[in-house]
Amino acid sequence: MILVLGGTAEARQLADALVANGIAVTSSLAGRVTNPRLPRGEVRIGGFGGATGLVEWMRVHDVKCVVDATHPFAARISEHAAAACARTGTPLLALIRPGWSERPGDRWFWVGEPAAAAEAIPALGSRVLLTTGRQGLAAFAGLDQTWFLIRCVDRPEPPLPPRHELLLDRGPYTLAGELGLIDAHRIDLVVTKDSGGEHTVAKLDAARQRGLPVVIVRRPARPEAQRVATVAAALDWARFHAG
Ligand code: NAP
């Protein structure tokens, strides 16, 4: 059985493709989102209990190989996957969508973490479209002169910045939709993280079109592992290892 660590569109697509190829797969989700989109095949939900719990789970379920298709910002589970696979001698593949890169007309400011993004905001704008995700919003809570349109999938926990509106949405987003949002809310700055992928890239195209600056949080470091960038390449690897 192949274990796919999921929580992304790519993980879902890979599980669907494995099922279509007659390969047994279990997708694992963290359980953060209330109403997750589920892939085909078996699904388990919830943490494993660290790398040790993951090792135990892999042994009990006779896992042949692991594809870590988690979000580029989900650093902890990737560390655990690398440790568990090293300990058990299980082949591991990381399926990581490529990050975004600047294009002519962009004004991007790269930062290392949400706290640095918060520090950069006052000099760049006062009405912010904030799409860094539900976790880490506390970093922006002290900015009481800035208005935020906070967009995330599920309702975030406080602390949040005092002046904000919440928009619960999960994409995919269109250029027309993002331009409409920017105009309707008089957004003058976009703050996001380098998630990569097509589903959420429209905000960057919209920012370019409106000449807005973008503060973008860099991806965290990942453990050493064989990597691919596409679902098709991950499927080839999994077929090979599934025998
Ligand atoms: P994280 O910080 O790397 O992981 C925290 C803990 O959550 C892990 O130690 C693990 O608990 C559990 N966990 C995470 N992903 C899991 C999975 N796929 N299956 C089982 N347990 C998992 O992760 P995160 O940033 O909170 O992200 C959680 C999930 O949301 C991931 O599956 C990720 O793909 C998805 N996601 C994250 C982001 C983001 O921006 N971070 C965005 C979109 C989707 P134990 O130690 O108990 O095993």
Side-chain angles (χ1 to χ4, degrees):
M1 185 263 281
I2 293 186
L3 174 63
V4 174
L5 299 170
T8 59
E10 290 84 353
R12 248 183 350 261
Q13 290 159 10
L14 176 62
D16 291 351
L18 287 167
V19 170
N21 279 268
I23 298 170
V25 56
T26 296
S27 296
S28 175
L29 305 177
R32 299 272 195 288
V33 174
T34 354
N35 190 14
R37 291 175 185 157
L38 295 178
R40 293 174 69 194
E42 296 287 320
V43 176
R44 65 160 302 284
I45 298 181
F48 294 97
T52 308
L54 181 52
V55 165
E56 185 55 24
W57 196 94
M58 286 165 58
R59 284 206 175 112
V60 168
H61 294 85
D62 196 18
V63 170
K64 276 210 168 70
C65 60
V66 176
V67 179
D68 175 8
T70 55
H71 192 272
F73 280 81
R76 210 138 34 107
I77 186 70
S78 294
E79 289 290 344
H80 295 170
C85 287
R87 248 184 258 170
T88 53
T90 310
L92 169 67
L93 181 76
L95 167 56
I96 314 168
R97 61 174 87 135
W100 289 317
S101 38
E102 283 155 277
R103 297 184 20 204
D106 281 332
R107 265 205 302 150
W108 290 6
F109 299 83
W110 288 91
V111 294
E113 53 188 12
E119 269 175 42
I121 287 174
L124 293 170
S126 58
R127 295 184 65 83
V128 175
L129 171 60
L130 182 60
T131 68
T132 49
R134 192 165 45 132
Q135 300 176 63
L137 288 177
F140 303 93
L143 291 173
D144 52 8
Q145 300 301 307
T146 311
W147 182 86
F148 290 89
L149 179 61
I150 300 174
R151 184 169 68 191
C152 45
V153 176
D154 275 320
R155 189 166 288 280
E157 300 288 329
L160 301 175
R163 302 177 62 224
H164 75 264
E165 187 177 319
L166 200 56
L167 179 57
L168 299 182
D169 201 354
R170 65 174 11 155
Y173 303 105
T174 63
L175 177 59
E178 299 294 56
L179 287 171
L181 208 61
I182 285 173
D183 294 345
H185 293 280
R186 293 177 289 114
I187 298 294
D188 59 11
L189 173 65
V190 174
V191 177
T192 190
K193 60 184 181 189
D194 183 17
S195 295
E198 291 301 313
H199 281 197
T200 57
V201 76
K203 64 191 161 207
L204 299 172
D205 298 331
R208 182 183 316 113
Q209 207 154 309
R210 289 290 182 264
L212 304 186
V214 175
V215 175
I216 182 159
V217 181
R218 254 184 231 103
R219 294 176 171 196
R222 292 186 67 102
E224 280 299 312
Q226 189 182 341
R227 292 180 183 205
V228 293
T230 64
V231 171
L235 178 62
D236 285 346
W237 182 91
R239 284 165 77 167
F240 174 79
H241 285 281

